[in-house]
């Protein structure tokens, strides 16, 4: 199904992956947020991983990615239903991420601090609570202790045990910011969607960040955005998508500028990749996201039912967006 959130099934209806790792995560999440189970069991995203050339390049790409993540999320908004009815949000999936776990999710304001570096990200990750310890093929609950305690050999119940590089790599898979740093940058803001949107996402971010001129323009676009504005985008885009207010206009205005930069970046690469942005151009120019179109159908042809989502015609998109 080409959608970003299960439109019908409740958490209890979803089959469980029989892995101890996921059991510990499932038990921990309600302690720190109200929507962790929605994230784990009912959401679907498209993600793209991007290389960087140096620490300096990583910092600029990271900042651009964080600033524009909700603008991208607006273009890809495709999760308006929950429990069989409209949720009140055009991207319920994006809203879910605002209440999963404040220690490991979100927009990471410190990335915009002067002097941000690989070390600064590592310092943040060291203080993120652990879900579990993995040793000898077995997962053990460690009660949400920070990885720093493990790093310093003072993990409760395991005194004197120190982490390996594999432990650190595993821990980094359990942090979920809007942009995640590993050996690459992972862009995490888009709802799941059809093949046209799946191929559009890497085109968008490659166009913005794989050409030096485009990257400089993208950096200039977001250079004076304030923390309050970024926070407002995080709150408003899940509900309003492209119609979310921003300065003297809307996110739609920003999306058009972002897509123009991305298209020029792809054209400069000379590989013909810009055609993959066509579906996003159509969304941005009309202001009608896939979520908007689904809600229109729900209120008209579908007679306020989500059942047509499950028909073969819908699964091949039937001209939606």
């Amino acid at each position: 199904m080409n959608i970003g959130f299960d439109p019908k099934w409740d958490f209890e209806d979803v089959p469980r992956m029989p892995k101890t790792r996921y059991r510990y995560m499932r038990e921990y999440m309600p302690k720190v947020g109200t929507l962790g189970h929605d994230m784990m069991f009912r959401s679907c995203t498209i993600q793209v991983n991007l290389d960087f050339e140096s620490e300096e390049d990583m910092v600029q790409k990271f900042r651009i990615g964080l600033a524009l993540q909700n603008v991208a999320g607006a273009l890809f908004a495709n999760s308006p239903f929950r429990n069989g009815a409209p949720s009140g949000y055009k991207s319920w999936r994006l809203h879910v991420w605002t209440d999963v776990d404040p220690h490991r999710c979100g927009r990471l304001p410190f990335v915009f601090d002067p002097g941000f570096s690989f070390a600064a990200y590592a310092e943040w990750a060291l203080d993120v609570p652990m879900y579990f310890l993995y040793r000898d093929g077995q997962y053990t609950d460690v009660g949400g202790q920070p990885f720093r305690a493990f790093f310093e050999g003072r993990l409760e119940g395991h005194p004197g045990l120190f982490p390996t590089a594999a432990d650190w790599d595993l821990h980094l898979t359990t942090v979920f910011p809007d942009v995640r740093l590993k050996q690459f940058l992972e862009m995490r803001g888009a709802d799941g969607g059809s093949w046209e949107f799946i191929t559009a996402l890497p085109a968008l971010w490659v166009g913005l960040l794989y050409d030096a001129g485009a990257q400089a323009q993208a950096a200039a676009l977001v250079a004076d955005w304030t923390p309050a504005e970024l926070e407002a985008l995080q709150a408003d885009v899940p509900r309003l998508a492209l119609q979310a207010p921003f300065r003297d206009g809307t996110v739609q205005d920003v999306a058009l500028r972002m897509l123009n930069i991305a298209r020029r970046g792809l054209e400069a690469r000379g590989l013909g990749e810009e055609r993959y942005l066509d579906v996003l151009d159509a969304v941005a120019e009309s202001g009608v996201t896939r979520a908007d179109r689904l809600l229109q159908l729900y209120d008209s042809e579908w007679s306020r039912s989500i059942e047509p989502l499950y028909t073969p015609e819908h699964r091949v998109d039937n001209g939606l967006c």
Side-chain angles (χ1 to χ4, degrees):
M1 179 180 291
N2 301 325
I3 202 162
F5 191 83
D6 190 311
K8 183 194 303 190
W9 287 2
D10 202 350
F11 158 67
E12 297 296 342
D13 301 322
V14 179
R16 310 289 169 80
M17 178 72 71
K19 286 189 174 183
T20 308
R21 167 191 174 108
Y22 295 128
R23 176 168 64 84
Y24 287 139
M25 292 174 66
R26 185 172 71 245
E27 292 171 353
Y28 179 83
M29 284 186 175
K31 301 175 183 177
V32 291
T34 67
L35 297 175
H37 288 168
D38 272 7
M39 181 277 289
M40 281 189 70
F41 292 96
R42 305 171 70 187
S43 67
C44 178
T45 186
I46 313 166
Q47 298 176 359
V48 61
N49 298 333
L50 300 165
D51 296 320
F52 43 81
E53 295 181 344
S54 64
E55 185 171 50
E56 180 182 8
D57 186 48
M58 176 278 293
V59 170
Q60 187 174 69
K61 283 180 164 67
F62 206 153
R63 290 171 176 168
I64 293 168
L66 284 173
L68 291 177
Q69 206 61 218
N70 279 293
V71 181
L75 284 167
F76 285 82
N78 184 33
S79 53
F81 302 117
R82 181 176 186 262
N83 295 343
S87 65
Y89 291 79
K90 295 181 182 180
S91 177
W92 177 259
R93 189 198 67 85
L94 269 183
H95 174 66
V96 161
W97 279 109
T98 67
D99 195 10
V100 170
D101 184 339
H103 300 104
R104 71 183 74 242
C105 304
R107 57 185 183 84
L108 305 187
F110 67 89
V111 172
F112 296 90
D113 290 346
F116 174 70
S117 62
F118 290 126
Y121 188 85
E123 288 292 332
W124 168 75
L126 281 168
D127 290 323
V128 172
M130 297 171 64
Y131 285 132
F132 39 66
L133 173 68
Y134 186 70
R135 277 293 182 277
D136 301 322
Q138 299 293 323
Y139 289 96
T140 303
D141 185 2
V142 292
Q145 297 178 73
F147 194 91
R148 189 181 297 276
F150 189 15
F151 185 74
E152 295 173 354
R154 52 182 180 84
L155 194 64
E156 185 177 335
H158 305 273
L161 182 66
F162 290 89
T164 65
D167 291 316
W168 178 242
D169 289 342
L170 178 62
H171 180 62
L172 291 179
T173 70
T174 68
V175 301
F176 310 122
D178 294 352
V179 176
R180 181 160 62 179
L181 175 62
K182 295 182 181 176
Q183 293 89 354
F184 46 79
L185 288 168
E186 182 179 279
M187 304 296 168
R188 302 170 51 84
D191 281 358
S194 65
W195 181 248
E196 291 81 3
F197 284 89
I198 292 171
T199 54
L201 187 69
L204 172 65
W205 289 111
V206 166
L208 290 169
L209 299 178
Y210 274 27
D211 171 73
Q215 183 170 321
Q217 291 174 47
L221 174 65
V222 304
D224 65 345
W225 292 11
T226 67
E229 287 173 329
L230 293 172
E231 187 174 346
L233 286 174
Q234 189 173 49
D236 293 341
V237 164
R239 185 167 48 90
L240 300 171
L242 290 173
Q243 302 315 310
F246 187 78
R247 296 190 173 177
D248 295 329
T250 65
V251 169
Q252 181 181 2
D253 302 317
V254 182
L256 288 166
R257 294 177 64 188
M258 179 176 72
L259 284 166
N260 184 46
I261 295 171
R263 182 169 289 275
R264 291 202 301 268
L266 293 176
E267 289 171 349
R269 284 164 55 83
L271 300 173
E273 301 157 313
E274 57 271 16
R275 68 185 185 275
Y276 295 113
L277 294 179
D278 290 349
V279 66
L280 299 183
D281 286 338
V283 171
E285 289 165 8
S286 68
V288 178
T289 66
R290 197 163 185 276
D292 291 309
R293 179 64 177 135
L294 291 173
L295 290 167
Q296 291 168 0
L297 289 169
Y298 176 84
D299 284 327
S300 56
E301 297 173 31
W302 293 358
S303 301
R304 300 187 66 77
S305 168
I306 65 163
E307 293 307 314
L309 281 168
Y310 294 88
T311 63
E313 292 81 6
H314 173 73
R315 287 198 292 273
V316 296
D317 267 5
N318 199 24
L320 297 180
C321 287

